[in-house]
Amino acid sequence: MDKKINKIKEEIKCFSIKTYHDSETFRIKFLGKKKGIITIFLKELKKVSIHKRKIYGKIINELKKEVQKKISIFLSQNEIINEKIQKYDPTIPGKSIEIGSFHPISILKNRMIDIFMKIGFTYVDGREIEDDWHNFTALNIPIDHPSRDMQDTFFLYKDPDILLRTHTSSVQIRYMKKHRPPFRVLSIGKVYRNETISSHSNFMFHQAEGFYIDKKVSFSDLKQVIHYLMTSLFGKAKIRFRPSYFPFTEPSAEVDLYCNSGWVEIMGCGMIDPKVLKNVDIDSETYSGFAFGIGIERLSLIIYNIKDIRMFFDNDVRFLKQFTSEF
Ligand code: PHE
């Protein structure tokens, strides 16, 4: 009998009640009027001596209480859930989730990548932390060159050789060191300048750099690509090339775009200087190429007709959510 009682005890303990159906099965299994384990046990008790009946009767009654307790715990928990369900009002409007949009700079970046992919350019990411050689020296800007003053940036105190790149032209050097021509490459990313001396209002802005090296690449190819870019962006575009100077291109030019207010300078470009090609071991007798650099913020100002460049960095949602990918 002791064994039987222990077995019942164990079974009660192990039975798991998860649903109302479980709780009914549990109740019938132990307390069912005809076949309930405890009911049968109580019936059998009548056959044993009064002394034993008293002892076992007490124990089995405890087990009966345990069964009832287990059921009522389940039912009371269920009541709480039911109460919650009753209080839940499915007619209350849901909390709306704001749908974000791309930053105008990202939209233009993606658009330019699409435009250049159509004419066989590969997109590469550059690094923002550069060393002096890739940002200046290899681009024919030696340490004492005056154009370094125009591109003052952030240097590391501990190692002045490390700096935040001042232009994406450093990507040219990194790419040309690793790859052999022909190639057409586009890279877009952040560049940094000392805001007190730069014509840009911020210490950081975005630039797109494109370069193309092959046999017989000429200035007319450069003009055609710039024209293609401008008409892709603006539909009809009036542009002009103005002679200019960059240490890493020869000849060099600045491109102006005609807007309602007159001519706006939008980019620098030119034929890659043979000295630069030599720095990356590309034979300038066999190969020639062009490069250009465009400020993305300035271009976005024109495309979106935005009055103040600082709005790009204010993070004002009312401003940012006005832009969609299609324009
Ligand atoms: N790196 C130049 C600048 O930031 C732009 C440029 C790129 C000019 C490529 C010529 C060729 O001002």
Side-chain angles (χ1 to χ4, degrees):
M1 265 210 165
D2 283 338
K3 259 191 185 170
K4 227 178 189 178
I5 285 178
N6 278 342
K7 205 180 153 222
I8 298 174
K9 220 177 183 173
E10 214 29 55
E11 273 185 76
I12 294 172
K13 223 172 101 187
C14 294
F15 199 105
S16 98
I17 306 178
K18 292 216 170 79
T19 61
Y20 184 73
H21 179 77
D22 290 346
S23 88
E24 269 304 279
T25 315
F26 180 66
R27 187 184 61 76
I28 292 163
K29 181 174 178 181
F30 291 98
L31 306 177
K33 280 207 172 99
K34 278 185 189 157
K35 287 183 181 166
I37 293 174
I38 289 177
T39 319
I40 292 171
F41 195 92
L42 280 169
K43 271 183 198 160
E44 279 173 2
L45 254 184
K46 283 176 190 157
K47 293 178 199 155
V48 299
S49 67
I50 297 187
H51 178 66
K52 278 190 176 170
R53 207 186 297 166
K54 266 191 179 170
I55 299 169
Y56 288 122
K58 209 176 161 200
I59 298 172
I60 205 74
N61 268 330
E62 300 266 291
L63 291 183
K64 200 174 167 180
K65 273 185 204 156
E66 244 166 68
V67 171
Q68 283 159 341
K69 200 173 145 196
K70 206 164 164 161
I71 293 171
S72 63
I73 287 175
F74 169 76
L75 290 179
S76 67
Q77 276 171 352
N78 236 26
E79 242 165 57
I80 296 169
I81 294 168
N82 275 340
E83 233 170 68
K84 274 190 185 158
I85 291 172
Q86 273 156 23
K87 275 186 192 156
Y88 171 69
D89 181 356
T91 63
I92 294 172
K95 284 182 194 151
S96 64
I97 300 166
E98 290 249 4
I99 295 174
S101 55
F102 276 110
H103 192 282
I105 299 297
S106 302
I107 296 173
L108 186 53
K109 173 181 170 178
N110 292 338
R111 202 161 164 221
M112 284 180 67
I113 294 173
D114 281 346
I115 291 170
F116 278 101
M117 286 219 162
K118 280 189 191 149
I119 53 168
F121 276 64
T122 309
Y123 181 79
V124 298
D125 264 326
R127 56 172 77 183
E128 289 170 32
I129 300 170
E130 262 307 351
D131 55 42
D132 186 283
W133 193 78
H134 289 89
N135 194 83
F136 293 123
T137 312
L139 284 159
N140 203 24
I141 316 174
I143 200 107
D144 53 355
H145 199 284
S147 85
R148 281 205 179 200
D149 293 343
M150 295 291 293
Q151 299 202 358
D152 190 20
T153 180
F154 300 88
F155 293 88
L156 281 193
Y157 268 121
K158 280 189 179 162
D159 185 355
D161 191 43
I162 307 297
L163 48 92
L164 291 181
R165 68 175 178 190
T166 60
H167 52 179
T168 40
S169 297
S170 51
V171 179
Q172 286 183 40
I173 303 299
R174 289 219 174 255
Y175 194 89
M176 292 195 289
K177 249 178 27 181
K178 264 198 177 165
H179 301 83
R180 296 294 93 185
F183 44 68
R184 283 168 258 191
V185 179
L186 176 75
S187 186
I188 302 177
K190 294 183 173 78
V191 298
Y192 300 82
R193 303 225 179 140
N194 182 335
E195 58 191 313
T196 53
I197 53 162
S198 146
S199 59
H200 302 268
S201 67
N202 214 349
F203 66 86
M204 183 279 290
F205 61 100
H206 294 76
Q207 248 188 2
E209 186 91 8
F211 51 98
Y212 174 21
I213 297 187
D214 202 345
K215 288 171 185 158
K216 293 189 185 143
V217 174
S218 69
F219 202 89
S220 60
D221 295 314
L222 167 62
K223 280 184 100 172
Q224 196 53 48
V225 166
I226 303 299
H227 188 261
Y228 161 75
L229 169 66
M230 289 303 146
T231 45
S232 303
L233 287 176
F234 295 99
K236 256 189 184 166
K238 207 167 140 186
I239 52 172
R240 73 176 180 198
F241 287 73
R242 233 176 341 100
S244 186
Y245 172 77
F246 296 102
F248 37 93
T249 46
E250 180 60 35
S252 306
E254 224 127 5
V255 181
D256 299 337
L257 177 73
Y258 193 78
C259 300
N260 6 341
S261 49
W263 292 101
V264 185
E265 180 194 312
I266 48 161
M267 64 195 285
C269 61
M271 300 308 292
I272 298 174
D273 196 303
K275 280 189 208 150
V276 174
L277 295 179
K278 198 172 162 236
N279 288 340
V280 289
D281 287 329
I282 291 178
D283 178 13
S284 61
E285 296 288 320
T286 317
Y287 292 105
S288 58
F290 65 72
F292 55 86
I294 319 171
I296 303 291
E297 276 80 2
R298 192 171 293 183
L299 209 53
S300 304
L301 287 181
I302 303 168
I303 289 173
Y304 289 117
N305 202 10
I306 295 164
K307 297 279 175 295
D308 192 335
I309 200 165
R310 286 170 297 190
M311 295 185 94
F312 288 129
F313 305 103
D314 280 347
N315 262 347
D316 185 335
V317 180
R318 289 166 307 176
F319 168 74
L320 294 174
K321 73 177 176 194
Q322 295 176 47
F323 304 94
T324 58
S325 302
E326 299 108 25
F327 62 89

